[in-house]
Amino acid sequence: MKRFLKYNKKVLGLALATLTLAACNDQWDDHYSDSALAGTNSGTIWQAMQQNPELSNFCNVAKACGYDKALQSTQAFTVFAPTNNNFSAEDAQSVIDLYNSEVKAGVRLAENRAIKEFLQNHIARYTYSVASQTNDSIIMMNGKYLVLTQNKFGGKDITSSNKLYENGVLFTLDKPTEFYNNLFEYIEKQNNGQPDGLDSMYNFWYDKRYYRYELDEESSVPGDIVNGKTTYLDSVMIKYNELFYSVGQINDEDSTFWMLVPDNTLAKQLIDDYSPYFMYHEQVDKYDSLRWYMPRVQIAMGGLFSMSKNLPLKNYLSSGTQIDSLMSEGALEYKYRKSGWGSDSLHYYQYGTLKEPRDPFAAGGIFYGAERIQCSNGVMLKTNQWNISKRETFLRSIVVDAERASRIIVDDKQTLRRTVARSIPTYSKYYNKVSNNSYLEIYPYDRSISDPEITFLIPNVLSGVKYDIYMVTVPADAVDTLVTEAEKKPSYFYISRLYKELDGYGPERDSISDNRSSIFDQPQYFLGDFDGTLGKGYGSGQDVDTICVAQGVEFPTCSWGTRSQVQLRVLNWVDYDPTETYDRTMRIDCIIFRPQEFGPLKNDE
């Protein structure tokens, strides 16, 4: 089956909003040209409909909604009109009553359900005809795609076809076509105040801060300039929703999604659980909106799946092939995971892997027990159980590669130190033992008198999470193989942090640990030794060392998606060292903030 006549979204929006477009002069291929029809009958489609007594009920609806004028204009249409056999006068009156009630309520004509869900579901712009091999999907005036074959339209029997008139083609049907909501529309319909409704998701997707009508300046007719601003003789308004671009275009009729949504009872539980992680401080712009938005967007992004990104799901629907994993809209492509998350082995917003397959439909799977509702652009899965862990979405380890300049803050100590990024060569014994095979070297401007320091910006820190903080250091011979054993010296580090309290203020320096006094007393993890054995030493200078600099550190505020307020200051504080026992140069691979509930650091993280 093919789809055709895919128009720019703005053009489609205009077709939904107004019937005053200029007459078209499209070029049709032979299959859809007038030559495919028996011949042109005199009169317009509207005149033909009025002359057919079996279409009187449909005509009454079209006239009551003002479509009689369009159907006798010079614009081109194809009408699929249900006959009176299964569309009674009472049915027609109920549609008319719906139209009038929504007009009285001030509903825009483009959103009037009588027009959008009934009338425009039977009318297409431009002309179509059928032949013996026809099996196509055509776009209706409401943006829905309906299947047209030789004998059926939208699943309903065609009783007459290919009747060409001066401004289009007329078909008749034995029954009215069914209207299918898209995912966005279905959420609105389930805004019913019931425990199993979708009010919470409606309040998110339809919030006026993100969803609104905006002026389409390109399509509007400009008038005079008044007080420096352009006025418009004909203003064309289009719907705009920021969430379609930041989360997913669940209103797009030309896309296919599976969307897992919690009912009202479950949504409240999730929001109450997620909210403490997103306590932005009061000096962040629109902090109250962010506190409201972030728990809800995590639910939405964690449960939205595009068919184009999930071939296993597509194969499952077509052939029943078992699914081993799914990726929601929050997932990064594999090639971006190392730069975005610190490691390409991480798989946030991906549920199941080839090593650990996870069938979404099996017990405990993310779709298990969900109610399936067919929509025009995919499947809605309404659920009262959420089998997506927050540890699979937003609650994650934070890895900051030290050599990334964007993660380093310019401070008042920068004149006392120099920095250079080093790449580990393939012949080094430390190759592939350091993330990205590169690290940052920080050394004093004057090696004899100054102690270098550097401050790292830590992004996406969550409030209320107990983090274990690690620093990975690299020895001097990682790049320079000529370094002697005597030159491979240990280092002292003084670590402090900068963060914000809920009022937006916070300490300039808050000591986590002063390692000058306890350097050899603390057991530490070492990279490459995860058999449960604890090693001793601190910045030994002899190997790639993973140093746990602090445990259970909690921050009162969140910096997810904003400018980082959390900073980690690393100072090589050798102080008085007449024997030159310690190295004044720091070689740092990365900083890791790991939620304590994750357990000990693993070798692949």
Side-chain angles (χ1 to χ4, degrees):
M1 180 187 302
K2 70 176 180 178
R3 287 183 175 180
F4 53 91
L5 293 176
K6 296 180 181 177
Y7 299 106
N8 179 282
K9 298 296 181 185
K10 287 186 177 180
V11 176
L12 177 58
L14 298 180
L16 298 177
T18 181
L19 290 170
T20 58
L21 299 178
C24 63
N25 55 0
D26 297 76
Q27 295 180 352
W28 304 309
D29 59 33
D30 291 339
H31 183 71
Y32 296 100
S33 69
D34 295 350
S35 61
L37 305 174
T40 302
N41 298 294
S42 62
T44 64
I45 295 177
W46 178 248
Q47 290 171 331
M49 289 168 56
Q50 284 188 309
Q51 292 169 6
N52 187 340
E54 289 299 308
L55 300 181
S56 60
N57 295 333
F58 184 77
C59 285
N60 289 339
V61 173
K63 186 172 183 178
C65 296
Y67 270 60
D68 56 324
K69 299 178 178 63
L71 295 177
Q72 55 187 319
S73 70
T74 57
Q75 301 178 62
F77 297 98
T78 299
V79 178
F80 301 87
T83 62
N84 294 347
N85 288 338
N86 290 291
F87 184 62
S88 66
E90 291 76 13
D91 294 332
Q93 189 59 49
S94 67
V95 177
I96 295 170
D97 290 344
L98 175 62
Y99 170 80
N100 290 329
S101 66
E102 298 222 330
V103 169
K104 186 177 180 180
V107 177
R108 292 174 181 266
L109 287 181
E111 298 300 322
N112 190 300
R113 285 183 294 157
I115 293 177
K116 181 178 179 180
E117 298 183 10
F118 177 77
L119 206 54
Q120 292 184 343
N121 213 45
H122 291 86
I123 304 175
R125 297 191 66 84
Y126 313 112
T127 61
Y128 302 95
S129 64
V130 293
S132 59
Q133 302 300 317
T134 299
N135 186 19
D136 294 315
S137 183
I138 67 174
I139 189 169
M140 308 307 292
M141 286 193 68
N142 57 10
K144 304 294 178 180
Y145 286 95
L146 295 181
V147 177
L148 175 64
T149 68
Q150 181 185 12
N151 300 313
K152 289 184 180 292
F153 173 72
K156 307 304 178 183
D157 290 337
I158 296 173
T159 55
S160 68
S161 61
N162 294 355
K163 304 298 183 182
L164 178 63
Y165 295 92
E166 293 173 0
N167 63 341
V169 181
L170 177 62
F171 290 72
T172 59
L173 308 176
D174 72 328
K175 295 178 182 179
T177 61
E178 296 179 32
F179 175 85
Y180 286 96
N181 298 290
N182 60 40
L183 296 166
F184 185 63
E185 293 164 340
Y186 183 81
I187 290 174
E188 182 181 26
K189 298 289 179 61
Q190 293 295 301
N191 178 38
N192 53 25
Q194 300 301 313
D196 63 348
L198 299 179
D199 301 62
S200 291
M201 291 297 96
Y202 168 82
N203 291 336
F204 172 68
W205 284 98
Y206 282 81
D207 190 283
K208 292 182 180 179
R209 286 171 289 191
Y210 318 115
Y211 177 57
R212 56 189 177 271
Y213 277 87
E214 291 188 347
L215 176 69
D216 182 2
E217 295 184 3
E218 293 183 4
S219 302
S220 299
V221 179
D224 296 332
I225 296 177
V226 179
N227 297 326
K229 295 184 178 181
T230 302
T231 61
Y232 292 90
L233 302 176
D234 183 14
S235 300
V236 176
M237 307 298 291
I238 58 174
K239 290 185 292 185
Y240 176 78
N241 194 329
E242 296 175 20
L243 300 179
F244 293 156
Y245 306 98
S246 61
V247 182
Q249 292 185 307
I250 62 171
N251 69 320
D252 188 356
E253 297 290 346
D254 204 23
S255 298
T256 305
F257 292 99
W258 277 47
M259 187 176 188
L260 184 69
V261 293
D263 64 20
N264 286 333
T265 301
L266 178 59
K268 184 180 185 308
Q269 296 172 4
L270 291 172
I271 292 168
D272 289 346
D273 183 24
Y274 290 3
S275 292
Y277 295 102
F278 299 100
M279 294 303 295
Y280 293 87
H281 70 74
E282 295 175 1
Q283 294 190 35
V284 172
D285 186 36
K286 299 180 180 178
Y287 74 92
D288 52 345
S289 294
L290 286 171
R291 291 180 183 179
W292 184 90
Y293 168 83
M294 289 307 303
R296 292 161 177 83
V297 77
Q298 292 299 333
I299 296 171
M301 293 184 68
L304 184 62
F305 304 86
S306 169
M307 194 70 74
S308 63
K309 294 182 181 179
N310 288 278
L311 292 180
L313 181 58
K314 188 174 184 179
N315 294 336
Y316 168 82
L317 295 174
S318 61
S319 63
T321 306
Q322 185 175 358
I323 302 175
D324 53 39
S325 68
L326 289 176
M327 289 191 299
S328 74
E329 286 299 274
L332 292 178
E333 294 182 38
Y334 288 103
K335 61 183 177 181
Y336 299 125
R337 292 185 181 185
K338 180 174 287 187
S339 60
W341 293 337
S343 172
D344 53 14
S345 67
L346 298 176
H347 45 83
Y348 303 113
Y349 303 97
Q350 178 179 336
Y351 316 114
T353 63
L354 291 176
K355 292 183 179 179
E356 299 179 3
R358 184 175 173 186
D359 185 344
F361 298 101
I366 58 176
F367 295 160
Y368 181 74
E371 176 189 359
R372 296 193 205 180
I373 300 98
Q374 184 63 52
C375 295
S376 62
N377 63 344
V379 175
M380 178 74 72
L381 298 111
K382 188 166 64 171
T383 184
N384 58 10
Q385 55 184 323
W386 198 251
N387 295 327
I388 298 174
S389 169
K390 54 195 172 189
R391 291 174 55 173
E392 295 178 302
T393 54
F394 64 88
L395 183 57
R396 62 181 75 156
S397 291
I398 303 168
V399 181
V400 175
D401 283 316
E403 69 273 12
R404 293 181 63 189
S406 61
R407 300 300 189 207
I408 299 173
I409 191 170
V410 176
D411 53 50
D412 57 357
K413 300 295 184 182
Q414 62 178 325
T415 57
L416 302 180
R417 51 119 168 116
R418 295 290 184 267
T419 62
V420 60
R422 302 289 191 190
S423 296
I424 298 177
T426 56
Y427 56 79
S428 171
K429 64 180 180 179
Y430 302 107
Y431 189 74
N432 283 340
K433 293 184 68 176
V434 174
S435 65
N436 298 318
N437 284 308
S438 58
Y439 63 92
L440 186 68
E441 186 173 283
I442 308 103
Y443 57 90
Y445 177 74
D446 185 337
R447 293 181 181 270
S448 63
I449 61 172
S450 63
D451 296 313
E453 73 170 76
I454 193 164
T455 301
F456 295 99
L457 294 171
I458 313 298
N460 297 331
V461 174
L462 298 173
S463 53
V465 176
K466 294 184 182 299
Y467 289 102
D468 289 344
I469 301 177
Y470 298 84
M471 182 170 68
V472 181
T473 60
V474 181
D477 62 340
V479 172
D480 186 358
T481 58
L482 300 179
V483 170
T484 65
E485 287 298 317
E487 293 174 307
K488 294 169 62 176
K489 301 175 183 179
S491 299
Y492 276 163
F493 300 103
Y494 179 85
I495 310 294
S496 60
R497 61 173 175 162
L498 178 68
Y499 64 95
K500 300 293 186 183
E501 298 286 357
L502 284 173
D503 61 4
Y505 298 94
E508 292 187 3
R509 291 291 184 266
D510 179 39
S511 177
I512 294 177
S513 59
D514 184 346
N515 298 304
R516 292 181 297 165
S517 61
S518 57
I519 185 171
F520 295 112
D521 297 327
Q522 299 181 5
Q524 310 297 340
Y525 295 108
F526 285 86
L527 191 67
D529 183 15
F530 294 99
D531 59 357
T533 303
L534 297 178
K536 286 188 176 181
Y538 206 90
S540 66
Q542 301 297 311
D543 202 348
V544 176
D545 296 337
T546 298
I547 307 161
C548 185
V549 300
Q551 294 181 323
V553 179
E554 187 172 341
F555 296 88
T557 55
C558 165
S559 64
W560 182 290
T562 67
R563 182 178 180 182
S564 301
Q565 286 95 39
V566 175
Q567 301 168 15
L568 199 71
R569 178 195 183 206
V570 182
L571 172 63
N572 187 347
W573 202 334
V574 175
D575 204 5
Y576 182 64
D577 183 24
T579 60
E580 298 186 355
T581 304
Y582 302 104
D583 195 347
R584 291 183 180 273
T585 297
M586 296 188 290
R587 300 172 184 85
I588 302 176
D589 171 24
C590 62
I591 305 293
I592 301 172
F593 277 44
R594 180 180 177 83
Q596 198 168 59
E597 64 184 81
F598 285 21
L601 197 64
K602 297 180 181 179
N603 195 32
D604 60 349
E605 296 182 283

